[in-house]
PDB file of all heavy atoms in Angstrom:
ATOM      1  N   ALA H 259      16.706  -1.189  10.542  1.00 93.00           N
ATOM      2  CA  ALA H 259      17.116  -1.169   9.142  1.00 93.00           C
ATOM      3  C   ALA H 259      15.968  -1.600   8.242  1.00 93.00           C
ATOM      4  O   ALA H 259      14.939  -2.115   8.703  1.00 93.00           O
ATOM      5  CB  ALA H 259      18.321  -2.090   8.929  1.00 93.00           C
ATOM      6  N   GLN H 260      16.148  -1.358   6.950  1.00 93.00           N
ATOM      7  CA  GLN H 260      15.193  -1.780   5.931  1.00 93.00           C
ATOM      8  C   GLN H 260      13.785  -1.219   6.152  1.00 93.00           C
ATOM      9  O   GLN H 260      12.780  -1.887   5.907  1.00 93.00           O
ATOM     10  CB  GLN H 260      15.158  -3.309   5.838  1.00 93.00           C
ATOM     11  CG  GLN H 260      16.469  -3.928   5.386  1.00 93.00           C
ATOM     12  CD  GLN H 260      16.901  -3.453   4.002  1.00 93.00           C
ATOM     13  OE1 GLN H 260      16.122  -3.500   3.069  1.00 93.00           O
ATOM     14  NE2 GLN H 260      18.133  -2.985   3.896  1.00 93.00           N
ATOM     15  N   GLY H 261      13.718   0.015   6.644  1.00 93.00           N
ATOM     16  CA  GLY H 261      12.439   0.705   6.729  1.00 93.00           C
ATOM     17  C   GLY H 261      11.528   0.289   7.858  1.00 93.00           C
ATOM     18  O   GLY H 261      10.321   0.562   7.816  1.00 93.00           O
ATOM     19  N   VAL H 262      12.052  -0.357   8.894  1.00 96.00           N
ATOM     20  CA  VAL H 262      11.220  -0.781  10.030  1.00 96.00           C
ATOM     21  C   VAL H 262      11.276   0.279  11.132  1.00 96.00           C
ATOM     22  O   VAL H 262      12.361   0.774  11.471  1.00 96.00           O
ATOM     23  CB  VAL H 262      11.689  -2.137  10.583  1.00 96.00           C
ATOM     24  CG1 VAL H 262      10.815  -2.567  11.766  1.00 96.00           C
ATOM     25  CG2 VAL H 262      11.667  -3.198   9.497  1.00 96.00           C
ATOM     26  N   TYR H 263      10.123   0.623  11.685  1.00 97.00           N
ATOM     27  CA  TYR H 263      10.073   1.603  12.768  1.00 97.00           C
ATOM     28  C   TYR H 263       8.954   1.230  13.732  1.00 97.00           C
ATOM     29  O   TYR H 263       7.859   0.843  13.303  1.00 97.00           O
ATOM     30  CB  TYR H 263       9.818   3.023  12.237  1.00 97.00           C
ATOM     31  CG  TYR H 263      10.387   4.072  13.144  1.00 97.00           C
ATOM     32  CD1 TYR H 263      11.642   4.606  12.905  1.00 97.00           C
ATOM     33  CD2 TYR H 263       9.698   4.486  14.288  1.00 97.00           C
ATOM     34  CE1 TYR H 263      12.198   5.541  13.771  1.00 97.00           C
ATOM     35  CE2 TYR H 263      10.244   5.405  15.147  1.00 97.00           C
ATOM     36  CZ  TYR H 263      11.493   5.937  14.889  1.00 97.00           C
ATOM     37  OH  TYR H 263      12.045   6.838  15.771  1.00 97.00           O
ATOM     38  N   CYS H 264       9.245   1.342  15.036  1.00 98.00           N
ATOM     39  CA  CYS H 264       8.241   1.060  16.068  1.00 98.00           C
ATOM     40  C   CYS H 264       8.241   2.177  17.108  1.00 98.00           C
ATOM     41  O   CYS H 264       9.310   2.678  17.483  1.00 98.00           O
ATOM     42  CB  CYS H 264       8.526  -0.268  16.774  1.00 98.00           C
ATOM     43  SG  CYS H 264       8.345  -1.734  15.745  1.00 98.00           S
ATOM     44  N   PHE H 265       7.055   2.553  17.556  1.00 98.00           N
ATOM     45  CA  PHE H 265       6.959   3.483  18.680  1.00 98.00           C
ATOM     46  C   PHE H 265       5.641   3.259  19.400  1.00 98.00           C
ATOM     47  O   PHE H 265       4.727   2.625  18.876  1.00 98.00           O
ATOM     48  CB  PHE H 265       7.103   4.940  18.233  1.00 98.00           C
ATOM     49  CG  PHE H 265       5.961   5.495  17.426  1.00 98.00           C
ATOM     50  CD1 PHE H 265       4.930   6.203  18.030  1.00 98.00           C
ATOM     51  CD2 PHE H 265       5.930   5.347  16.045  1.00 98.00           C
ATOM     52  CE1 PHE H 265       3.895   6.746  17.285  1.00 98.00           C
ATOM     53  CE2 PHE H 265       4.898   5.883  15.284  1.00 98.00           C
ATOM     54  CZ  PHE H 265       3.872   6.579  15.903  1.00 98.00           C
ATOM     55  N   ALA H 266       5.564   3.769  20.620  1.00 98.00           N
ATOM     56  CA  ALA H 266       4.348   3.616  21.415  1.00 98.00           C
ATOM     57  C   ALA H 266       4.126   4.860  22.258  1.00 98.00           C
ATOM     58  O   ALA H 266       5.083   5.554  22.641  1.00 98.00           O
ATOM     59  CB  ALA H 266       4.434   2.385  22.310  1.00 98.00           C
ATOM     60  N   LEU H 267       2.852   5.143  22.532  1.00 98.00           N
ATOM     61  CA  LEU H 267       2.444   6.300  23.329  1.00 98.00           C
ATOM     62  C   LEU H 267       1.953   5.805  24.684  1.00 98.00           C
ATOM     63  O   LEU H 267       1.056   4.962  24.756  1.00 98.00           O
ATOM     64  CB  LEU H 267       1.331   7.068  22.610  1.00 98.00           C
ATOM     65  CG  LEU H 267       1.605   7.456  21.158  1.00 98.00           C
ATOM     66  CD1 LEU H 267       0.391   8.156  20.561  1.00 98.00           C
ATOM     67  CD2 LEU H 267       2.851   8.332  21.053  1.00 98.00           C
ATOM     68  N   LYS H 268       2.529   6.343  25.749  1.00 98.00           N
ATOM     69  CA  LYS H 268       2.243   5.837  27.086  1.00 98.00           C
ATOM     70  C   LYS H 268       0.849   6.204  27.583  1.00 98.00           C
ATOM     71  O   LYS H 268       0.074   5.340  28.018  1.00 98.00           O
ATOM     72  CB  LYS H 268       3.306   6.340  28.066  1.00 98.00           C
ATOM     73  CG  LYS H 268       4.719   5.891  27.718  1.00 98.00           C
ATOM     74  CD  LYS H 268       5.734   6.492  28.675  1.00 98.00           C
ATOM     75  CE  LYS H 268       7.152   6.166  28.255  1.00 98.00           C
ATOM     76  NZ  LYS H 268       8.152   6.770  29.168  1.00 98.00           N
ATOM     77  N   LYS H 269       0.532   7.490  27.571  1.00 98.00           N
ATOM     78  CA  LYS H 269      -0.775   7.923  28.083  1.00 98.00           C
ATOM     79  C   LYS H 269      -1.918   7.378  27.235  1.00 98.00           C
ATOM     80  O   LYS H 269      -2.945   6.946  27.764  1.00 98.00           O
ATOM     81  CB  LYS H 269      -0.847   9.449  28.146  1.00 98.00           C
ATOM     82  CG  LYS H 269       0.011  10.090  29.204  1.00 98.00           C
ATOM     83  CD  LYS H 269      -0.248  11.585  29.299  1.00 98.00           C
ATOM     84  CE  LYS H 269       0.073  12.308  28.002  1.00 98.00           C
ATOM     85  NZ  LYS H 269      -0.093  13.784  28.119  1.00 98.00           N
ATOM     86  N   GLU H 270      -1.744   7.412  25.936  1.00 98.00           N
ATOM     87  CA  GLU H 270      -2.789   6.953  25.022  1.00 98.00           C
ATOM     88  C   GLU H 270      -2.853   5.431  24.931  1.00 98.00           C
ATOM     89  O   GLU H 270      -3.827   4.878  24.432  1.00 98.00           O
ATOM     90  CB  GLU H 270      -2.540   7.539  23.623  1.00 98.00           C
ATOM     91  CG  GLU H 270      -2.651   9.051  23.558  1.00 98.00           C
ATOM     92  CD  GLU H 270      -1.422   9.777  24.058  1.00 98.00           C
ATOM     93  OE1 GLU H 270      -0.440   9.101  24.468  1.00 98.00           O
ATOM     94  OE2 GLU H 270      -1.435  11.022  24.061  1.00 98.00           O
ATOM     95  N   LYS H 271      -1.767   4.769  25.398  1.00 98.00           N
ATOM     96  CA  LYS H 271      -1.692   3.301  25.416  1.00 98.00           C
ATOM     97  C   LYS H 271      -1.918   2.728  24.012  1.00 98.00           C
ATOM     98  O   LYS H 271      -2.766   1.856  23.794  1.00 98.00           O
ATOM     99  CB  LYS H 271      -2.688   2.726  26.428  1.00 98.00           C
ATOM    100  CG  LYS H 271      -2.481   3.228  27.853  1.00 98.00           C
ATOM    101  CD  LYS H 271      -3.435   2.592  28.830  1.00 98.00           C
ATOM    102  CE  LYS H 271      -3.328   3.204  30.226  1.00 98.00           C
ATOM    103  NZ  LYS H 271      -2.005   3.063  30.827  1.00 98.00           N
ATOM    104  N   ILE H 272      -1.139   3.260  23.067  1.00 98.00           N
ATOM    105  CA  ILE H 272      -1.217   2.860  21.663  1.00 98.00           C
ATOM    106  C   ILE H 272       0.194   2.569  21.161  1.00 98.00           C
ATOM    107  O   ILE H 272       1.134   3.279  21.504  1.00 98.00           O
ATOM    108  CB  ILE H 272      -1.843   3.986  20.806  1.00 98.00           C
ATOM    109  CG1 ILE H 272      -3.337   4.142  21.128  1.00 98.00           C
ATOM    110  CG2 ILE H 272      -1.667   3.719  19.316  1.00 98.00           C
ATOM    111  CD1 ILE H 272      -3.974   5.332  20.442  1.00 98.00           C
ATOM    112  N   SER H 273       0.333   1.515  20.360  1.00 98.00           N
ATOM    113  CA  SER H 273       1.626   1.208  19.765  1.00 98.00           C
ATOM    114  C   SER H 273       1.504   1.144  18.246  1.00 98.00           C
ATOM    115  O   SER H 273       0.429   0.848  17.707  1.00 98.00           O
ATOM    116  CB  SER H 273       2.177  -0.115  20.296  1.00 98.00           C
ATOM    117  OG  SER H 273       1.319  -1.194  19.983  1.00 98.00           O
TER     118      SER H 273
END
Side-chain angles (χ1 to χ4, degrees):
Q260 296 300 309
V262 180
Y263 207 95
C264 293
F265 70 95
L267 308 178
K268 299 176 186 179
K269 290 187 299 184
E270 295 80 0
K271 302 183 186 300
I272 290 173
S273 61

